[in-house]
Coordinates of all heavy atoms in Angstrom, one line a residue:
I16 N 39.2 6.4 341.6 CA 40.4 5.7 341.3 C 41.1 5.4 342.6 O 41.6 4.3 342.8 CB 41.3 6.5 340.4 CG1 40.7 6.6 339.0 CG2 42.7 5.9 340.3 CD1 41.5 7.6 338.0
A17 N 41.2 6.4 343.5 CA 41.8 6.1 344.8 C 41.1 5.0 345.6 O 41.8 4.1 346.1 CB 41.8 7.4 345.6
R18 N 39.8 5.0 345.6 CA 39.1 4.0 346.3 C 39.3 2.6 345.7 O 39.5 1.6 346.4 CB 37.6 4.3 346.3 CG 36.8 3.5 347.3 CD 35.3 3.9 347.3 NE 35.1 5.4 347.4 CZ 34.5 6.0 346.4 NH1 33.9 5.4 345.4 NH2 34.3 7.4 346.5
D19 N 39.3 2.6 344.4 CA 39.5 1.3 343.7 C 40.9 0.7 343.9 O 41.1 -0.5 343.9 CB 39.4 1.5 342.2 CG 37.9 1.8 341.8 OD1 37.0 1.5 342.6 OD2 37.7 2.2 340.6
N20 N 41.9 1.6 344.2 CA 43.3 1.1 344.4 C 43.7 1.2 345.9 O 44.8 1.0 346.2 CB 44.2 2.0 343.6 CG 44.0 1.7 342.1 OD1 44.4 0.6 341.7 ND2 43.5 2.6 341.4
N21 N 42.7 1.5 346.8 CA 43.0 1.5 348.2 C 44.1 2.4 348.6 O 45.0 2.1 349.4 CB 43.2 0.1 348.8 CG 43.1 0.0 350.3 OD1 42.3 0.7 350.8 ND2 43.8 -0.9 350.9
V22 N 44.1 3.7 348.1 CA 45.0 4.7 348.4 C 44.3 5.9 349.0 O 43.2 6.2 348.7 CB 46.0 5.0 347.2 CG1 46.8 3.8 346.8 CG2 45.1 5.6 346.1
N23 N 45.1 6.7 349.7 CA 44.5 7.9 350.3 C 44.7 9.1 349.3 O 45.6 9.0 348.4 CB 45.2 8.3 351.6 CG 44.9 7.3 352.7 OD1 43.8 6.8 352.7 ND2 45.9 7.0 353.5
I24 N 43.9 10.1 349.5 CA 44.0 11.3 348.7 C 44.5 12.5 349.6 O 44.0 12.6 350.7 CB 42.7 11.7 348.1 CG1 42.2 10.6 347.1 CG2 42.8 13.0 347.4 CD1 40.8 10.8 346.6
L25 N 45.5 13.2 349.1 CA 46.0 14.4 349.9 C 45.1 15.6 349.5 O 45.1 16.1 348.4 CB 47.4 14.7 349.5 CG 48.0 15.9 350.2 CD1 48.1 15.7 351.7 CD2 49.4 16.2 349.6
I26 N 44.3 16.0 350.4 CA 43.4 17.1 350.2 C 44.1 18.4 350.6 O 44.6 18.6 351.7 CB 42.1 17.1 351.1 CG1 41.4 15.7 351.0 CG2 41.2 18.2 350.9 CD1 40.8 15.5 349.6
T27 N 44.2 19.3 349.6 CA 45.0 20.6 349.8 C 44.1 21.8 349.7 O 44.6 22.9 349.9 CB 46.2 20.7 348.8 OG1 45.7 20.6 347.5 CG2 47.2 19.6 349.0
S28 N 42.8 21.6 349.3 CA 42.0 22.8 349.1 C 41.8 23.7 350.3 O 41.7 24.9 350.1 CB 40.6 22.3 348.6 OG 40.0 21.5 349.5
D29 N 41.9 23.1 351.5 CA 41.8 24.0 352.7 C 42.9 25.0 352.8 O 42.7 26.2 352.9 CB 41.7 23.1 353.9 CG 42.8 22.2 354.1 OD1 43.5 21.9 353.1 OD2 43.0 21.6 355.2
I30 N 44.1 24.5 352.7 CA 45.3 25.3 352.9 C 45.5 26.1 351.6 O 46.0 27.3 351.6 CB 46.6 24.5 353.3 CG1 47.7 25.4 353.6 CG2 47.0 23.5 352.2 CD1 47.5 26.3 354.8
W31 N 45.2 25.6 350.5 CA 45.3 26.3 349.2 C 44.4 27.5 349.2 O 44.9 28.6 348.9 CB 44.9 25.3 348.1 CG 45.4 25.7 346.7 CD1 44.7 26.4 345.8 CD2 46.6 25.2 346.1 NE1 45.5 26.5 344.6 CE2 46.6 25.7 344.8 CE3 47.6 24.4 346.5 CZ2 47.6 25.5 343.9 CZ3 48.6 24.2 345.6 CH2 48.7 24.7 344.3
G32 N 43.2 27.4 349.6 CA 42.3 28.5 349.7 C 42.7 29.5 350.7 O 42.6 30.7 350.5
A33 N 43.2 29.1 351.9 CA 43.6 30.0 352.9 C 44.8 30.8 352.4 O 44.9 32.0 352.7 CB 44.0 29.2 354.2
A34 N 45.7 30.2 351.7 CA 46.9 30.9 351.1 C 46.4 31.9 350.1 O 46.9 33.1 350.2 CB 47.9 29.9 350.5
Q35 N 45.5 31.6 349.3 CA 45.0 32.6 348.3 C 44.3 33.7 349.0 O 44.5 34.9 348.6 CB 44.1 31.9 347.3 CG 44.8 31.0 346.3 CD 43.8 30.4 345.3 OE1 42.9 29.7 345.7 NE2 44.0 30.7 344.1
Q36 N 43.6 33.5 350.0 CA 42.9 34.5 350.8 C 43.9 35.5 351.5 O 43.6 36.6 351.8 CB 42.0 33.9 351.8 CG 40.7 33.3 351.2 CD 39.8 32.7 352.3 OE1 40.2 32.6 353.4 NE2 38.7 32.2 351.8
N37 N 45.1 35.0 351.7 CA 46.2 35.8 352.3 C 47.2 36.3 351.2 O 48.3 36.6 351.6 CB 46.9 35.0 353.4 CG 46.0 34.9 354.6 OD1 46.0 35.8 355.4 ND2 45.3 33.8 354.7
N38 N 46.7 36.4 350.0 CA 47.5 37.0 348.9 C 48.8 36.2 348.6 O 49.8 36.9 348.3 CB 47.8 38.5 349.1 CG 46.5 39.3 349.2 OD1 45.6 39.1 348.4 ND2 46.4 40.2 350.2
I39 N 48.7 34.9 348.8 CA 49.9 34.1 348.4 C 49.5 33.4 347.1 O 48.5 32.6 347.0 CB 50.2 33.1 349.4 CG1 50.7 33.8 350.7 CG2 51.3 32.1 348.9 CD1 50.9 32.9 351.9
N40 N 50.2 33.8 346.0 CA 49.8 33.3 344.7 C 50.2 31.8 344.5 O 51.4 31.5 344.5 CB 50.5 34.1 343.6 CG 50.0 33.8 342.2 OD1 49.0 33.0 342.0 ND2 50.8 34.2 341.2
V41 N 49.3 30.9 344.4 CA 49.6 29.5 344.3 C 49.5 28.9 342.9 O 49.8 27.8 342.7 CB 48.7 28.7 345.3 CG1 49.1 29.0 346.8 CG2 47.3 28.9 345.1
Y42 N 48.9 29.7 342.0 CA 48.7 29.3 340.6 C 49.6 30.1 339.6 O 49.8 31.3 339.8 CB 47.3 29.5 340.1 CG 46.3 28.5 340.6 CD1 45.3 28.8 341.6 CD2 46.3 27.2 340.2 CE1 44.4 27.9 342.0 CE2 45.4 26.2 340.6 CZ 44.5 26.6 341.6 OH 43.6 25.7 342.0
Q43 N 50.1 29.3 338.6 CA 50.8 30.0 337.5 C 49.8 30.8 336.8 O 48.6 30.7 337.0 CB 51.4 29.0 336.6 CG 52.5 28.2 337.2 CD 53.8 29.0 337.3 OE1 54.0 30.0 336.7 NE2 54.8 28.4 338.0
S44 N 50.2 31.6 335.8 CA 49.3 32.5 335.1 C 48.3 31.7 334.2 O 47.2 32.2 333.9 CB 50.0 33.4 334.2 OG 50.9 32.7 333.3
D45 N 48.6 30.4 334.0 CA 47.6 29.6 333.2 C 46.4 29.1 334.1 O 45.5 28.5 333.6 CB 48.3 28.4 332.6 CG 48.9 27.4 333.6 OD1 48.6 27.5 334.8 OD2 49.6 26.4 333.1
G46 N 46.5 29.3 335.4 CA 45.4 29.0 336.3 C 45.3 27.5 336.6 O 44.4 27.1 337.3
S47 N 46.3 26.7 336.1 CA 46.2 25.2 336.3 C 47.4 24.7 337.1 O 47.3 23.8 337.9 CB 46.1 24.5 335.0 OG 44.9 24.8 334.3
H48 N 48.6 25.2 336.8 CA 49.8 24.7 337.4 C 50.2 25.5 338.6 O 50.0 26.7 338.6 CB 50.9 24.7 336.3 CG 50.6 23.8 335.2 ND1 50.0 24.2 334.1 CD2 50.9 22.4 335.1 CE1 49.8 23.1 333.2 NE2 50.4 22.1 333.8
P49 N 50.8 24.9 339.6 CA 51.2 25.6 340.8 C 52.4 26.5 340.6 O 53.3 26.1 339.8 CB 51.5 24.5 341.8 CG 51.9 23.3 340.9 CD 51.1 23.4 339.7
T50 N 52.5 27.5 341.3 CA 53.7 28.3 341.4 C 54.6 27.6 342.4 O 54.3 26.6 342.9 CB 53.4 29.7 342.0 OG1 52.9 29.5 343.4 CG2 52.4 30.5 341.2
L51 N 55.8 28.2 342.6 CA 56.7 27.6 343.6 C 56.1 27.6 345.0 O 56.2 26.6 345.7 CB 58.0 28.4 343.6 CG 59.2 27.8 344.4 CD1 59.5 26.4 344.0 CD2 60.4 28.7 344.3
Y52 N 55.3 28.6 345.3 CA 54.6 28.6 346.6 C 53.5 27.5 346.6 O 53.4 26.8 347.6 CB 53.8 30.0 346.8 CG 54.7 31.1 347.2 CD1 55.1 32.1 346.4 CD2 55.2 31.1 348.6 CE1 56.0 33.1 346.8 CE2 56.0 32.1 349.0 CZ 56.4 33.1 348.1 OH 57.3 34.1 348.5
G53 N 52.8 27.3 345.5 CA 51.8 26.2 345.5 C 52.5 24.8 345.7 O 52.0 24.0 346.4
S54 N 53.6 24.6 345.0 CA 54.3 23.3 345.1 C 54.8 23.1 346.5 O 54.8 22.1 347.1 CB 55.5 23.3 344.1 OG 55.0 23.3 342.8
Y55 N 55.4 24.2 347.1 CA 55.9 24.1 348.4 C 54.8 23.9 349.5 O 55.0 23.1 350.4 CB 56.7 25.4 348.8 CG 57.6 25.3 350.0 CD1 58.8 24.6 349.9 CD2 57.2 25.8 351.2 CE1 59.6 24.5 351.0 CE2 58.0 25.7 352.3 CZ 59.2 25.0 352.2 OH 60.0 24.9 353.3
L56 N 53.7 24.5 349.3 CA 52.6 24.3 350.1 C 52.1 22.9 350.1 O 51.9 22.3 351.2 CB 51.4 25.2 349.7 CG 50.1 25.2 350.4 CD1 49.5 26.6 350.3 CD2 49.2 24.2 349.9
I57 N 52.1 22.3 349.0 CA 51.7 20.9 348.9 C 52.7 20.0 349.6 O 52.4 19.0 350.3 CB 51.5 20.4 347.4 CG1 50.3 21.1 346.8 CG2 51.4 18.9 347.2 CD1 50.2 21.0 345.3
A58 N 54.0 20.3 349.4 CA 55.0 19.5 350.1 C 54.9 19.6 351.6 O 55.0 18.6 352.3 CB 56.4 20.0 349.7
L59 N 54.6 20.8 352.1 CA 54.4 21.0 353.6 C 53.2 20.2 354.1 O 53.2 19.6 355.1 CB 54.2 22.5 353.9 CG 55.5 23.4 353.8 CD1 55.1 24.8 354.1 CD2 56.6 22.9 354.7
K60 N 52.1 20.2 353.3 CA 50.9 19.5 353.7 C 51.2 18.0 353.7 O 50.7 17.3 354.6 CB 49.8 19.9 352.7 CG 48.5 19.1 352.9 CD 47.7 19.8 354.0 CE 46.3 19.0 354.1 NZ 45.3 19.8 354.7
L61 N 51.9 17.5 352.7 CA 52.2 16.1 352.6 C 53.1 15.7 353.8 O 52.8 14.7 354.5 CB 53.0 15.8 351.3 CG 53.4 14.3 351.2 CD1 52.2 13.4 351.2 CD2 54.2 14.2 349.9
Y62 N 54.0 16.5 354.2 CA 54.8 16.3 355.4 C 54.0 16.2 356.6 O 54.1 15.3 357.4 CB 55.9 17.4 355.6 CG 56.8 17.2 356.8 CD1 57.9 16.4 356.7 CD2 56.5 17.8 358.0 CE1 58.7 16.2 357.8 CE2 57.3 17.6 359.1 CZ 58.4 16.8 359.0 OH 59.2 16.6 360.1
K63 N 53.0 17.1 356.8 CA 52.1 17.1 358.0 C 51.3 15.8 358.0 O 51.0 15.3 359.0 CB 51.2 18.3 358.0 CG 51.9 19.6 358.4 CD 52.5 19.5 359.8 CE 51.5 19.4 360.9 NZ 52.0 19.3 362.2
V64 N 50.8 15.3 356.8 CA 50.0 14.1 356.8 C 50.9 12.9 357.1 O 50.5 12.0 357.8 CB 49.4 13.9 355.4 CG1 48.8 12.5 355.2 CG2 48.3 15.0 355.2
L65 N 52.1 12.8 356.6 CA 53.0 11.7 356.9 C 53.6 11.7 358.3 O 53.8 10.6 358.8 CB 54.2 11.7 355.9 CG 53.8 11.4 354.4 CD1 55.0 11.6 353.5 CD2 53.2 10.1 354.2
F66 N 53.8 12.9 358.8 CA 54.3 13.0 360.2 C 53.5 13.9 361.0 O 53.9 15.0 361.4 CB 55.8 13.6 360.1 CG 56.7 12.8 359.2 CD1 56.9 13.2 357.9 CD2 57.2 11.6 359.6 CE1 57.8 12.4 357.1 CE2 58.0 10.8 358.8 CZ 58.3 11.3 357.5
P67 N 52.3 13.5 361.4 CA 51.3 14.4 362.1 C 51.8 14.8 363.5 O 51.4 15.9 364.0 CB 50.1 13.6 362.2 CG 50.5 12.1 362.1 CD 51.7 12.2 361.2
Q68 N 52.7 14.1 364.1 CA 53.2 14.4 365.4 C 54.3 15.5 365.4 O 54.6 16.1 366.4 CB 53.7 13.2 366.2 CG 55.0 12.6 365.6 CD 54.8 11.8 364.3 OE1 53.7 11.6 363.8 NE2 55.9 11.3 363.8
E69 N 54.9 15.7 364.2 CA 56.0 16.7 364.1 C 55.4 18.1 363.9 O 54.5 18.3 363.1 CB 56.8 16.3 362.9 CG 57.6 15.0 363.0 CD 58.6 15.0 364.1 OE1 59.3 16.1 364.3 OE2 58.8 14.0 364.7
K70 N 56.0 19.0 364.6 CA 55.6 20.4 364.5 C 56.5 21.1 363.4 O 57.7 21.0 363.5 CB 55.7 21.1 365.8 CG 55.3 22.5 365.8 CD 55.2 23.1 367.2 CE 54.9 24.5 367.4 NZ 54.3 25.3 366.3
L71 N 55.9 21.7 362.5 CA 56.7 22.5 361.5 C 57.2 23.8 362.2 O 56.4 24.5 362.7 CB 55.8 22.9 360.3 CG 55.5 21.7 359.3 CD1 54.5 22.2 358.3 CD2 56.8 21.3 358.6
N72 N 58.5 24.0 362.1 CA 59.1 25.2 362.6 C 59.8 25.9 361.5 O 60.7 25.3 360.9 CB 60.0 24.8 363.8 CG 60.6 26.0 364.5 OD1 60.7 27.1 363.9 ND2 61.0 25.8 365.7
I73 N 59.5 27.1 361.3 CA 60.1 27.9 360.2 C 61.7 27.9 360.2 O 62.3 27.9 359.2 CB 59.6 29.4 360.2 CG1 60.0 30.1 358.9 CG2 60.1 30.1 361.4 CD1 59.2 29.7 357.7
D74 N 62.2 27.8 361.4 CA 63.7 27.8 361.5 C 64.3 26.5 361.3 O 65.6 26.4 361.2 CB 64.1 28.3 362.9 CG 63.7 29.8 363.1 OD1 63.8 30.6 362.2 OD2 63.3 30.1 364.2
D75 N 63.5 25.4 361.2 CA 64.1 24.1 361.0 C 63.8 23.5 359.6 O 64.2 22.3 359.4 CB 63.4 23.1 362.1 CG 63.8 23.5 363.5 OD1 64.9 24.2 363.7 OD2 63.0 23.2 364.4
I76 N 63.2 24.2 358.7 CA 62.9 23.6 357.4 C 63.7 24.4 356.3 O 64.0 25.5 356.5 CB 61.4 23.6 357.1 CG1 60.8 25.1 357.1 CG2 60.6 22.8 358.1 CD1 59.4 25.2 356.8
F77 N 63.9 23.7 355.2 CA 64.5 24.3 354.1 C 63.5 25.2 353.4 O 62.3 24.7 353.1 CB 65.0 23.2 353.1 CG 65.4 23.8 351.8 CD1 66.7 24.4 351.7 CD2 64.6 23.7 350.7 CE1 67.1 24.9 350.5 CE2 65.0 24.2 349.5 CZ 66.3 24.8 349.4
I78 N 63.9 26.4 353.0 CA 63.0 27.3 352.3 C 63.8 27.7 351.0 O 64.9 28.3 351.2 CB 62.6 28.5 353.1 CG1 61.8 28.0 354.3 CG2 61.8 29.5 352.3 CD1 61.5 29.1 355.3
P79 N 63.3 27.4 349.9 CA 64.0 27.9 348.6 C 64.2 29.4 348.7 O 63.4 30.2 349.2 CB 63.1 27.5 347.5 CG 62.3 26.4 348.1 CD 62.1 26.7 349.5
R80 N 65.3 29.9 348.1 CA 65.7 31.3 348.2 C 64.6 32.2 347.5 O 64.5 33.3 347.9 CB 67.0 31.5 347.5 CG 68.2 31.1 348.3 CD 69.5 31.4 347.6 NE 69.6 30.4 346.5 CZ 70.6 30.1 345.8 NH1 71.7 30.9 346.0 NH2 70.7 29.2 345.0
K81 N 63.9 31.7 346.5 CA 62.9 32.5 345.8 C 61.6 32.7 346.6 O 60.8 33.5 346.2 CB 62.6 31.8 344.5 CG 63.7 31.8 343.5 CD 63.3 31.3 342.2 CE 64.5 31.3 341.2 NZ 64.1 30.8 339.9
L82 N 61.5 32.0 347.7 CA 60.3 32.1 348.5 C 60.5 33.1 349.7 O 61.6 33.0 350.3 CB 59.8 30.8 349.0 CG 59.4 29.8 348.0 CD1 58.9 28.5 348.6 CD2 58.4 30.3 347.0
D83 N 59.5 33.8 350.0 CA 59.6 34.8 351.1 C 59.3 34.0 352.4 O 58.3 33.4 352.6 CB 58.5 35.9 350.9 CG 58.5 36.9 352.0 OD1 59.3 37.8 352.0 OD2 57.7 36.7 352.9
K84 N 60.2 34.2 353.4 CA 60.1 33.4 354.7 C 58.9 33.8 355.4 O 58.2 33.0 356.1 CB 61.4 33.7 355.5 CG 61.5 32.8 356.7 CD 62.8 33.1 357.4 CE 63.0 32.2 358.6 NZ 64.2 32.3 359.3
Q85 N 58.5 35.1 355.4 CA 57.2 35.5 356.1 C 56.0 34.8 355.5 O 55.1 34.4 356.2 CB 57.1 37.0 356.0 CG 58.1 37.7 356.9 CD 57.9 39.2 356.8 OE1 57.8 39.8 355.7 NE2 58.0 39.9 358.0
K86 N 56.0 34.7 354.1 CA 54.8 34.0 353.5 C 54.8 32.5 353.9 O 53.7 32.0 354.2 CB 54.9 34.2 352.0 CG 54.5 35.6 351.6 CD 54.4 35.7 350.0 CE 54.1 37.1 349.6 NZ 54.0 37.2 348.1
I87 N 56.0 31.9 353.9 CA 56.0 30.5 354.3 C 55.6 30.3 355.8 O 54.9 29.4 356.1 CB 57.4 29.9 354.1 CG1 57.8 30.0 352.6 CG2 57.6 28.5 354.7 CD1 56.8 29.2 351.7
N88 N 56.0 31.3 356.6 CA 55.6 31.2 358.0 C 54.1 31.3 358.1 O 53.5 30.7 358.9 CB 56.3 32.3 358.8 CG 56.2 32.0 360.3 OD1 56.4 30.9 360.8 ND2 56.0 33.1 361.1
L89 N 53.5 32.2 357.3 CA 52.1 32.4 357.3 C 51.4 31.1 356.9 O 50.4 30.6 357.5 CB 51.6 33.5 356.4 CG 50.1 33.7 356.3 CD1 49.5 34.0 357.6 CD2 49.9 34.9 355.3
I90 N 51.9 30.4 355.9 CA 51.3 29.1 355.4 C 51.4 28.1 356.6 O 50.4 27.4 356.8 CB 52.1 28.6 354.2 CG1 51.7 29.5 353.0 CG2 51.8 27.2 353.9 CD1 52.6 29.2 351.7
I91 N 52.5 28.1 357.3 CA 52.7 27.1 358.4 C 51.6 27.4 359.4 O 51.0 26.5 360.0 CB 54.1 27.2 358.9 CG1 55.1 26.5 357.9 CG2 54.2 26.4 360.3 CD1 56.5 26.7 358.3
Q92 N 51.5 28.7 359.8 CA 50.5 29.1 360.8 C 49.1 28.7 360.3 O 48.2 28.2 361.2 CB 50.5 30.6 361.1 CG 51.9 31.0 361.7 CD 52.3 30.2 362.9 OE1 51.5 29.9 363.8 NE2 53.5 29.7 362.8
L93 N 48.8 28.8 359.1 CA 47.4 28.5 358.5 C 47.2 27.0 358.6 O 46.1 26.5 358.7 CB 47.3 29.0 357.1 CG 47.3 30.5 356.9 CD1 47.4 30.8 355.4 CD2 46.0 31.1 357.5
M94 N 48.3 26.2 358.6 CA 48.1 24.7 358.6 C 47.8 24.2 360.0 O 47.4 23.1 360.2 CB 49.4 24.1 358.1 CG 49.6 24.3 356.6 SD 51.1 23.6 356.0 CE 50.7 21.9 356.1
H95 N 48.0 25.0 361.1 CA 47.8 24.5 362.5 C 46.4 24.8 362.9 O 45.7 25.4 362.5 CB 48.8 25.2 363.4 CG 50.2 24.8 363.2 ND1 50.7 23.5 363.3 CD2 51.3 25.5 362.7 CE1 51.9 23.4 363.0 NE2 52.4 24.6 362.7

């Protein structure tokens, strides 16, 4: 579908798998829908794709109160 419509696909499996390997739960209990961490991870990945020259800095980004800052920092490190 993406090819037929000349659009790009945001690949998240790399960072998604890395987050899971580091005990960051990215799936809801149904195994299909993302947790808040999963949704936030996708948002960070999209930001990096749209603004590749920008460096993500834990002190400069909004982090929802329900998310652990150390886990988000780990996700950011995994993305570099």
Side-chain angles (χ1 to χ4, degrees):
I16 293 173
R18 193 175 317 119
D19 291 344
N20 292 290
N21 197 30
V22 296
N23 294 326
I24 297 173
L25 178 66
I26 306 292
T27 58
S28 58
D29 56 343
I30 189 64
W31 201 268
Q35 287 182 299
Q36 288 177 353
N37 285 277
N38 298 316
I39 298 173
N40 186 15
V41 294
Y42 283 110
Q43 294 283 348
S44 59
D45 66 6
S47 296
H48 295 92
T50 61
L51 188 54
Y52 281 103
S54 295
Y55 195 77
L56 180 150
I57 292 168
L59 290 176
K60 177 80 177 205
L61 181 59
Y62 180 84
K63 286 299 291 176
V64 169
L65 293 174
F66 306 101
Q68 70 283 0
E69 296 293 324
K70 182 171 174 19
L71 286 172
N72 184 336
I73 192 72
D74 295 323
D75 296 334
I76 61 175
F77 170 77
I78 300 172
R80 284 181 284 191
K81 292 183 179 182
L82 298 183
D83 180 83
K84 190 174 181 178
Q85 289 180 316
K86 287 184 179 181
I87 297 304
N88 195 41
L89 176 59
I90 289 171
I91 290 170
Q92 297 309 312
L93 293 170
M94 292 178 70
H95 292 296

